[in-house]
Amino acid sequence: MTEWGARSAQRIVSGIEAFFVRHRHRLVWVHVLMFLAFVGLIFAPPLGAIPGPQDGLLDNYRLFANLLLWGLWFPLVFVSVIFTGRSWCGLLCPMGAASEWANKKGLKRAIPAWLQWPGTPVVSFIVITIWAQTLGARDHAETSALLFGGVMAVAIVVGFVWGRNKRAWCRHACPIGLLLGVYSRLGMVDFRPKRLREGGDAWTEATACPTMIDLKRKTETRHCIECFRCVHPNTQGGLRLAVRRPGIEIEEIAGRNPNLSEVLFLFLGNGVALGGFLWLVLDNYQSFRLWLATSAIKSGWLWVGEPGPSWLMAVFPVEREVFRWVDFITITGYMVGWMVLSVIVLSLTTGASAWLAGRLGGARTWSRRFVELGYQIAPVAMVSLVLGLGGELFSVLSLLGLSADDVRLVKSVLFALGAVWSLWLGWRILAHQGVASHVRFIPLAGGAVSITFVGAAWYPAVFSL
Ligand code: SF4
Ligand code: SF4
């Protein structure tokens, strides 16, 4: 970038920073509006009429709200992390704001160790993702309200009980925050300490940051919800808003607090989300279901053919969708199966890369190299997730006149870009590990297998829905 370009970019960033600092006390009104929108999108649709077979997206409020929620909000929030980081969390999300509001009124107990455990949001993500599938939340307004309403209620309870002027839910338990946090490492936005203190990132309650970041030691993006509370433009201290090249944090992951729990989440989360799509489109799910049902009946376990409770699975006789225990067990088992497969394959390929990198002069221990290289699948996993989740978004493109072939082309290009970006990150991580460029393609091959696995596994989910 030329000097003039750099100065112009800096002026724009400073202007944005000044705007948010000036108006941050008004965010409460944004949160109130977003809370009302949440109620309108989540709790109002179950009161509306069930759509008929002829109803289009604009004819029926249930269909319209479903489109806004799953077709626009979900994929666009994910995409937004690349351009604006976790701005959804700090500026807009009504759930996090409600949790923080409850915290101001609540018991303010110390945050317990089990909640601080890095696996808590991972477990939360797995449970919520599987529950969303067994409830059929993408297709039914009632269970969508149950899912989002339930998560909102837990967020408020966690906020009410634990933390002192903090967002314990957002830092330690929110499944969406975990996902956005990992992918925000790819993003363009960073909040940097004006004076970085050595020692690496740390968790502390003695901070103005609602997500308990030790501000002077902050080097990673994932827990920053962009609330602007640490930004004081006219002082020497605090943090400043900065714009960076997308992906740079993962290229330099060695110095940005890489950690195993996050990498395992990338592997696990990819698998469980994948299973959530593949059971809808692959024949082997139906074979698995038939086998289990037949075996259970032969064993006299007739209860597997009974419908389960409607808080656990989809029970909609009018719409002719009634899940039975056999569906609950097979959907859950199928998703867990994909999760385990994903962890095994990605661990093996990443482990092989890390070993080869070590043989070719890569710095640090095998486990450190494994963790660093684990991050390279982030772009392809994210693009796959967005394309899979955004099936409805692409239906809208079809309605706007794009042919099926055009939509397929758009998806294919995005898919390929994700894969190429992942390969590039692998290349750069290996460079930072000190592997010479003329042999770097050898450990990179392990990454290429990981990327091929993720891409190939998502392919039917992305292109069949
Ligand atoms: S972490 Fe979750 S609850 Fe908190 S602001 Fe982000 S999405 Fe909302
Ligand atoms: S680092 Fe600053 S902007 Fe980010 S969440 Fe903490 S206080 Fe808010």
Side-chain angles (χ1 to χ4, degrees):
M1 195 187 287
T2 63
E3 200 181 322
W4 179 85
R7 268 209 308 274
S8 304
Q10 186 52 46
R11 263 202 299 275
I12 294 171
V13 172
S14 302
I16 294 170
E17 182 185 272
F19 174 84
F20 280 105
V21 168
R22 201 163 50 243
H23 296 291
R24 65 187 161 204
H25 64 284
R26 295 198 169 95
L27 279 178
V28 62
W29 296 111
V30 178
H31 294 146
V32 170
L33 279 178
M34 291 302 293
F35 188 83
L36 295 176
F38 178 86
V39 170
L41 270 184
I42 304 294
F43 297 118
L47 306 175
I50 293 173
Q54 307 300 331
D55 283 340
L57 293 170
L58 302 180
D59 303 327
N60 179 283
Y61 186 61
R62 282 177 178 246
L63 294 179
F64 181 64
N66 189 276
L67 171 74
L68 292 184
L69 192 60
W70 297 105
L72 291 176
W73 172 75
F74 230 84
L76 293 184
V77 163
F78 282 128
V79 172
S80 74
V81 296
I82 300 294
F83 303 101
T84 64
R86 287 179 69 179
S87 54
W88 163 260
C89 289
L91 305 180
L92 299 171
C93 178
M95 208 181 297
S99 186
E100 191 172 355
W101 176 82
N103 186 258
K104 286 190 173 54
K105 311 280 169 204
L107 306 178
K108 299 185 171 50
R109 298 218 172 120
I111 299 171
W114 65 263
L115 191 55
Q116 291 182 38
W117 177 55
T120 303
V122 180
V123 173
S124 159
F125 178 83
I126 293 169
V127 170
I128 296 293
T129 307
I130 293 177
W131 191 35
Q133 287 298 314
T134 61
L135 284 175
R138 282 170 71 95
D139 299 321
H140 300 284
E142 290 82 356
T143 46
S144 182
L146 177 62
L147 179 79
F148 283 98
V151 174
M152 170 72 100
V154 178
I156 291 173
V157 169
V158 169
F160 186 81
V161 178
W162 291 295
R164 187 173 287 273
N165 300 320
K166 296 285 178 281
R167 289 194 183 199
W169 167 259
C170 297
R171 168 79 194 235
H172 294 301
C174 177
I176 304 169
L178 173 68
L179 206 59
L180 298 182
V182 173
Y183 293 124
S184 71
R185 281 188 181 269
L186 287 169
M188 293 171 62
V189 172
D190 193 11
F191 283 70
R192 292 184 189 149
K194 290 178 190 161
R195 292 179 183 163
L196 180 66
R197 185 186 290 166
E198 296 297 312
D201 294 77
W203 181 99
T204 175
E205 282 196 270
T207 170
C209 175
T211 52
M212 289 153 280
I213 298 169
D214 187 339
L215 294 168
K216 288 185 178 152
R217 294 170 55 176
K218 177 179 178 296
T219 64
E220 62 172 341
T221 314
R222 65 184 168 131
H223 299 303
C224 174
I225 58 168
E226 302 188 1
C227 65
F228 282 86
R229 283 176 223 178
C230 58
V231 180
H232 308 287
N234 301 322
T235 66
Q236 299 289 314
L239 274 63
R240 67 181 173 84
L241 177 64
V243 176
R244 60 190 183 178
R245 178 161 55 79
I248 186 84
E249 182 169 335
I250 290 189
E251 291 174 33
E252 297 171 350
I253 194 71
R256 303 296 197 100
N257 197 25
N259 60 87
L260 184 61
S261 64
E262 204 179 0
V263 167
L264 281 180
F265 167 69
L266 268 173
F267 295 180
L268 285 165
N270 173 67
V272 77
L274 188 56
F277 286 102
L278 291 182
W279 78 269
L280 293 163
V281 295
L282 290 190
D283 290 340
N284 60 19
Y285 168 75
Q286 293 304 337
S287 309
F288 173 48
R289 182 181 181 278
L290 188 65
W291 169 80
L292 193 88
T294 313
S295 307
I297 289 165
K298 275 188 194 156
S299 307
W301 299 345
L302 300 182
W303 56 268
V304 298
E306 298 291 325
S310 56
W311 57 266
L312 193 59
M313 58 191 93
V315 183
F316 295 97
V318 177
E319 287 126 300
R320 294 172 185 269
E321 183 165 48
V322 177
F323 282 180
R324 295 159 199 285
W325 281 107
V326 67
D327 297 301
F328 177 80
I329 295 167
T330 48
I331 292 170
T332 305
Y334 195 77
M335 292 175 72
V336 171
W338 269 102
M339 186 173 82
V340 172
L341 181 69
S342 173
V343 173
I344 291 173
V345 173
L346 294 175
S347 298
L348 285 175
T349 51
T350 308
S353 277
W355 181 78
L356 286 167
R359 303 285 295 179
L360 296 166
R364 299 182 282 283
T365 60
W366 175 84
S367 54
R368 267 300 292 256
R369 290 193 302 274
F370 175 93
V371 169
E372 290 167 21
L373 286 164
Y375 286 90
Q376 70 185 304
I377 65 154
V380 72
M382 182 183 172
V383 170
S384 305
L385 203 57
V386 169
L387 294 182
L389 286 170
E392 287 90 346
L393 183 65
F394 289 94
S395 330
V396 177
L397 290 182
S398 308
L399 291 178
L400 292 176
L402 258 67
S403 69
D405 281 345
D406 293 339
V407 170
R408 195 176 289 272
L409 182 67
V410 171
K411 284 182 170 183
S412 305
V413 170
L414 291 172
F415 211 56
L417 285 175
V420 170
W421 194 4
S422 277
L423 268 181
W424 167 250
L425 290 186
W427 180 264
R428 295 293 303 152
I429 293 168
L430 287 165
H432 281 279
Q433 289 179 351
V435 180
S437 58
H438 66 284
V439 288
R440 213 175 285 158
F441 68 94
I442 299 173
L444 191 64
V449 177
S450 304
I451 293 160
T452 307
F453 167 74
V454 174
W458 273 97
Y459 190 88
V462 169
F463 291 97
S464 306
L465 287 175

